[in-house]
Amino acid sequence: MAENGAGNGRAALSLEVNGEGVARLLFDRPDSKVNLLTSAVMAQLDALLGDIEQSVRTGAVRALVVASGKPASFIAGADVNEIASVPTEEAGYEASREGQRVFRRLEILPCPTVAAIDGLCLGGGTELVLACDYRIATDRPETRIGLPEIRLGIIPGFGGTTRLPRLVGLTEALPLILTGQPVASGKARRIGLVDEVVHPSILATRARAAALAGAPARRRKRSVLARVLDDSLPGRRLVLNRARARVLRETRGHYPAPLIALDTLRDSLRLPLDLAFDVEAHAVGKLIVTDVARNLIRVFHLMEGAKKAGPANVAAPAVSRVAVLGAGVMGGGIAHLLADHDVPVRLKDIEAGAIAKGLQHARHLFDRAVRRGRTSRREANRRMDAIAPALDYSGFGSVDVVIEAIVERMDVKKSVLRDVEERVRADCVLASNTSSLSITEMQSALERPARFCGMHFFNPVHRMPLVELIRGRDTGDEALAAVFALARRLGKTPVIVNDGPGFLVNRILSPYLNEAGHLLQEGASVESVDRALLDFGMPMGPFRLLDEIGLDVSRHAGAVLFEELGERMRPAPALAALEGTGLLGRKGGRGFYVYEQDKQKSVHREIYARLAPIVPAVRTAFPAEHIRTRTILAMVNEAARVLEDGIAASPGDVDLAMITGTGFPPFRGGLLRYADDVGVAAIFTRLTDLARALGARFEPAILIRDLAAAGRGFYD
Ligand code: NAI
């Protein structure tokens, strides 16, 4: 067994009974910040439930409270390693049945049971509290309740899929099960998932009182519509059909778990509890062995690994104040992000108008958060006030980090960074948000190059999870540790890379976008290329992405990569020719698509005429498979070079960065995981053929050639 639930002789679970006969079952996994429901913990819970049954019979126990001994953290769910190690469908089914059996034992204890939830309550933790008679949650922001199983490619299998819709109704249960997004305690109370919300200081007292009062379930008022939809067969069918259509639209059928969740709900809701559990367990068994679940679990591990991947053996200097240079698209976004995470920020620009726009952008994002109920008006105003605008360097003497996001010009950046260095403390860390310029080259202008690195956010800053942290030749570990900790604090996924043209993501993306340009020139239509890649699972096609990046920005980045990396990066003529057209992409309302009020309307029909004669007037039908092979293998090939050149430390880093920086489909496990699934030898052959047919840009990378020869994959 992976873990016996005990360390240092302490058990993960303990039971105490007070003078009034209220038993308190406490989860407190030794040597860990969070509680997990490992199979060992489940076995211990089972045994303790046996003791409680006995004590209730003898009258020693009158009621039970379930709680966590961790500060502001309830139960984080099952052990993902155990989920990953389930060998067969049958074993998955059995594991689910066993969890259901233990929680059922809790549910039918002959005494009132109350869950006292303080902090994160996820997966198995939520399924555990669903088996209690009464649930109280605290009102702190950390208290969130959810069923994230879908993100691992499975569904809640310890009774959660069965109990949740019975408690809160199908309509309210669906978003929790299908998105995996946890809800705050206020929302949990509104939908009936918890019965009471209290301040943390009175949680224990309230839980005891509710237990002694017999844990009377609160009656929730539901609208007539909700009752019709949730409680009648035709109503449920309608709700489920709508949900299925939405899932198919959003996932293009790539993810089996949400579809099987809907089937399970359809079949199980009309069954008695025990039969419903059986349907649920069968679904878990079926899903747990799918490739999609395996890949999503791998991605989960990559994400968890990234949290700990900072420079080893260096304590991160504390960061309490940050300055941002440049209040443009990126600077404004970064300032908002900092303020949103309670980091006071000075936002400096050389133009008052730019600052006004930057502040307006931040204000707009805070307003939206208020509108969506994510934060209160008061809180939003408080955070907005954390941004102090400036036209000069006042206050720079007290900042710990400066993030530079000014114009993308080496000479300007160097001279500004030199200025800044003179105005900040000697231990202040400077970071550039450049997307294409050399960090090492910028260091040459500085007195303290060890305290300088790249910190590359992606646009839009509030939405894109990735931050590339770039180590220049002279960057010190302490500077990297500081920006690593800062990125984590901002809720981002940091990936450390070495300096090199386009760093990681933009370098790999460039041949992909370029290949779309070549296809256009050969007569493929914009929509056929984009559709082929949407069907592959990319969040948007390459032409839509070019519009999003900005046609001027992407052309500039492409030119830099061509200059640095040579012939294979030569911009596709159809993309280079956009220069004369004045088209900018989404920000200008027109590019490969037409946009109205920022929304994509249709393909820009004129684009072909504007690019004539480079692009033929007649569109030819290209098989989607051909489009995918060329564009995706172009990325795989460049990713191999990124590894060869030591830009990224591992295939895992490449995959994590591509998933979080470009939305490469997580169900495929990452770009290089996908390459391994296809087989590197097969890829080598395809690339060799493509090089012969289309040109040297497809010449296989040395690493691919070597791996193919050795019969190995990137991850072997
Ligand atoms: P932008 O043009 O929107 O903003 C640049 C701002 O810097 C302007 O407001 C300008 O007035 C200000 N500025 C110029 N010189 C300054 C100085 N000496 N001191 C203070 N402010 C000064 O540019 P954007 O798009 O925000 O890009 C900024 C940086 O971020 C560039 O290095 C760019 O390569 C990088 N980047 C851009 C991304 C994008 O999608 N736009 C994505 C990732 C990085």
Side-chain angles (χ1 to χ4, degrees):
M1 220 170 264
E3 185 185 346
N4 63 9
N8 299 337
R10 277 201 300 132
L13 261 177
S14 61
L15 186 68
E16 276 171 21
V17 185
N18 75 1
E20 295 169 306
V22 178
R24 192 170 150 84
L25 186 60
L26 201 69
F27 284 81
D28 198 352
R29 184 176 177 235
D31 310 318
S32 167
K33 271 197 275 188
V34 295
N35 288 310
L36 292 183
L37 295 175
T38 61
S39 50
V41 170
M42 290 296 283
Q44 207 192 341
L45 173 62
D46 191 28
L48 285 176
L49 288 172
D51 295 348
I52 298 168
E53 281 161 12
Q54 279 279 341
S55 308
V56 175
R57 239 172 270 132
T58 62
V61 164
R62 292 165 57 197
L64 174 70
V65 171
V66 181
S68 159
K70 307 282 179 208
S73 169
F74 187 71
I75 294 175
D79 179 351
V80 177
N81 290 324
E82 283 192 23
I83 298 176
S85 66
V86 170
T88 60
E89 182 172 339
E90 293 69 46
Y93 168 82
E94 289 302 335
S96 168
R97 288 302 278 169
E98 175 60 11
Q100 292 169 346
R101 184 188 64 74
V102 175
F103 286 177
R104 179 70 182 148
R105 194 170 188 185
L106 168 64
E107 185 171 44
I108 60 174
L109 273 181
C111 71
T113 53
V114 173
I117 309 162
D118 186 26
L120 205 55
C121 171
L122 293 179
T126 299
E127 301 184 278
L128 173 97
V129 305
L130 284 170
C132 293
D133 299 325
Y134 196 84
R135 287 154 291 277
I136 308 179
T138 59
D139 58 4
R140 65 168 107 227
E142 292 89 345
T143 300
R144 292 164 69 78
I145 305 174
L147 293 167
E149 285 83 349
I150 206 91
R151 297 180 178 187
L152 300 176
I154 57 174
I155 65 170
F158 288 179
T161 310
T162 303
R163 286 198 183 92
L164 184 66
R166 284 171 170 75
L167 180 69
V168 305
L170 179 62
T171 315
E172 297 292 2
L174 276 179
L176 275 130
I177 295 173
L178 293 180
T179 68
Q181 190 75 39
V183 292
S185 41
K187 169 95 189 258
R189 184 179 140 78
R190 265 197 309 284
I191 66 174
L193 172 53
V194 302
D195 300 284
E196 225 179 291
V197 176
V198 300
H199 190 270
S201 61
I202 58 164
L203 178 64
T205 321
R206 270 306 305 152
R208 213 159 42 237
L212 282 172
R218 187 174 63 101
R219 289 227 168 273
R220 190 171 55 97
K221 286 202 197 74
R222 291 159 67 215
S223 69
V224 177
L225 181 65
R227 273 179 291 164
V228 169
L229 288 176
D230 289 349
D231 301 347
S232 73
L233 258 181
R236 279 186 211 152
R237 197 173 304 140
L238 182 74
V239 171
L240 290 169
N241 285 346
R242 269 203 213 139
R244 178 172 302 270
R246 180 162 182 186
V247 165
L248 284 172
R249 198 167 59 240
E250 286 175 2
T251 68
R252 296 175 104 84
H254 286 307
Y255 293 82
L259 297 172
I260 289 191
L262 292 170
D263 292 345
T264 306
L265 289 164
R266 180 197 59 207
D267 298 343
S268 71
L269 261 175
R270 49 197 155 127
L271 295 174
L273 221 47
D274 197 46
L275 293 179
F277 285 145
D278 198 59
V279 173
E280 176 184 299
H282 275 296
V284 171
K286 207 184 296 174
L287 287 167
I288 210 162
V289 292
T290 56
D291 289 342
V292 170
R294 290 215 193 291
N295 281 335
L296 290 176
I297 289 170
R298 283 167 174 157
V299 173
F300 173 85
H301 280 130
L302 287 178
M303 298 285 221
E304 288 299 299
K307 293 181 184 169
K308 300 168 203 125
N313 311 320
V314 193
V319 173
S320 45
R321 275 165 207 288
V322 174
V324 175
L325 287 179
V329 176
M330 295 304 286
I334 296 167
H336 160 263
L337 182 73
L338 287 159
D340 198 25
H341 287 81
D342 269 331
V343 185
V345 49
R346 288 199 87 74
L347 179 60
K348 179 190 180 307
D349 204 288
I350 45 174
E351 288 190 32
I355 294 197
K357 263 171 110 182
L359 291 175
Q360 200 183 358
H361 175 62
R363 165 68 67 194
H364 165 75
L365 292 175
F366 281 126
D367 284 349
R368 200 168 59 180
V370 173
R371 266 200 317 278
R372 294 185 178 172
R374 300 226 175 99
T375 185
S376 65
R377 168 57 57 204
R378 209 166 126 241
E379 187 54 27
N381 286 344
R382 193 183 65 75
R383 292 188 190 183
M384 189 65 207
D385 287 345
I387 308 179
L391 282 167
D392 56 25
Y393 285 110
S394 58
F396 272 57
S398 65
V399 298
D400 307 296
V401 172
V402 178
I403 302 171
E404 170 277 306
I406 63 170
V407 282
E408 187 74 338
R409 272 183 47 195
M410 183 58 90
D411 54 341
V412 181
K413 291 212 195 259
K414 275 185 178 171
S415 104
V416 168
L417 286 167
R418 213 178 297 126
D419 265 5
V420 173
E421 200 181 35
E422 280 171 18
R423 291 172 162 89
V424 296
R425 287 194 325 258
D427 62 346
C428 176
V429 173
L430 307 189
S432 173
N433 182 50
T434 177
S435 46
S436 62
L437 302 175
S438 163
I439 295 300
T440 303
E441 166 79 22
M442 283 181 223
Q443 278 177 330
S444 68
L446 296 175
E447 293 283 324
R448 297 185 293 271
R451 303 204 69 80
F452 178 71
C453 63
M455 190 174 193
H456 183 209
F457 289 86
F458 288 72
N459 188 13
V461 176
H462 65 283
R463 262 221 311 270
M464 298 298 288
L466 178 66
V467 180
E468 289 179 340
L469 301 179
I470 300 119
R471 188 195 282 277
R473 195 189 53 213
D474 300 318
T475 301
D477 279 349
E478 215 178 79
L480 271 182
V483 290
F484 188 93
L486 179 60
R488 291 276 313 128
R489 177 162 165 203
L490 300 177
K492 297 294 180 190
T493 306
V495 174
I496 297 180
V497 298
N498 278 320
D499 194 14
F503 314 126
L504 192 160
V505 165
N506 286 348
R507 173 163 166 187
I508 295 176
L509 215 43
S510 191
Y512 163 83
L513 297 173
N514 230 359
E515 206 48 37
H518 286 295
L519 285 158
L520 190 68
Q521 186 179 357
E522 291 165 35
S525 64
V526 168
E527 53 271 60
S528 68
V529 173
D530 276 3
R531 202 181 317 113
L533 285 143
L534 277 171
D535 288 344
F536 177 80
M538 299 299 282
M540 60 180 77
F543 290 115
R544 183 68 181 74
L545 180 57
L546 281 163
D547 273 358
E548 201 63 35
I549 298 170
L551 300 181
D552 50 340
V553 173
S554 66
R555 201 163 48 244
H556 174 74
V560 172
L561 284 165
F562 174 45
E563 200 179 302
E564 304 270 344
L565 296 172
E567 203 45 44
R568 71 171 189 280
M569 290 283 186
R570 178 182 287 284
L575 300 186
L578 284 166
E579 179 143 29
T581 62
L583 299 173
L584 292 177
R586 187 167 68 98
K587 63 186 168 191
R590 272 177 170 53
F592 291 101
Y593 293 86
V594 175
Y595 301 83
E596 270 167 35
Q597 283 159 355
D598 248 18
K599 292 255 178 319
Q600 175 198 317
K601 282 289 170 215
S602 56
V603 169
H604 186 199
R605 289 283 145 215
E606 273 176 43
I607 194 88
Y608 306 115
R610 298 263 196 119
L611 290 174
I614 295 171
V615 165
V618 185
R619 309 282 95 210
T620 328
F622 278 68
E625 200 45 48
H626 178 78
I627 293 169
R628 278 195 285 269
T629 304
R630 283 173 58 173
T631 47
I632 301 290
L633 292 199
M635 283 201 281
V636 172
N637 208 17
E638 197 57 37
R641 293 195 165 98
V642 158
L643 286 173
E644 260 168 55
D645 293 353
I647 299 296
S650 68
D653 278 1
V654 171
D655 283 351
L656 183 64
M658 292 306 285
I659 290 169
T660 52
T662 73
F664 188 89
F667 75 90
R668 298 197 186 272
L671 178 66
L672 296 178
R673 185 64 76 177
Y674 168 75
D676 279 0
D677 283 345
V678 175
V680 177
I683 288 179
F684 175 74
T685 312
R686 287 297 282 143
L687 284 171
T688 311
D689 292 346
L690 286 169
R692 213 170 290 135
L694 297 167
R697 66 177 185 276
F698 279 107
E699 213 56 75
I702 294 168
L703 179 62
I704 291 187
R705 187 197 65 196
D706 292 351
L707 288 175
R712 290 172 43 212
F714 286 100
Y715 276 91
D716 297 334

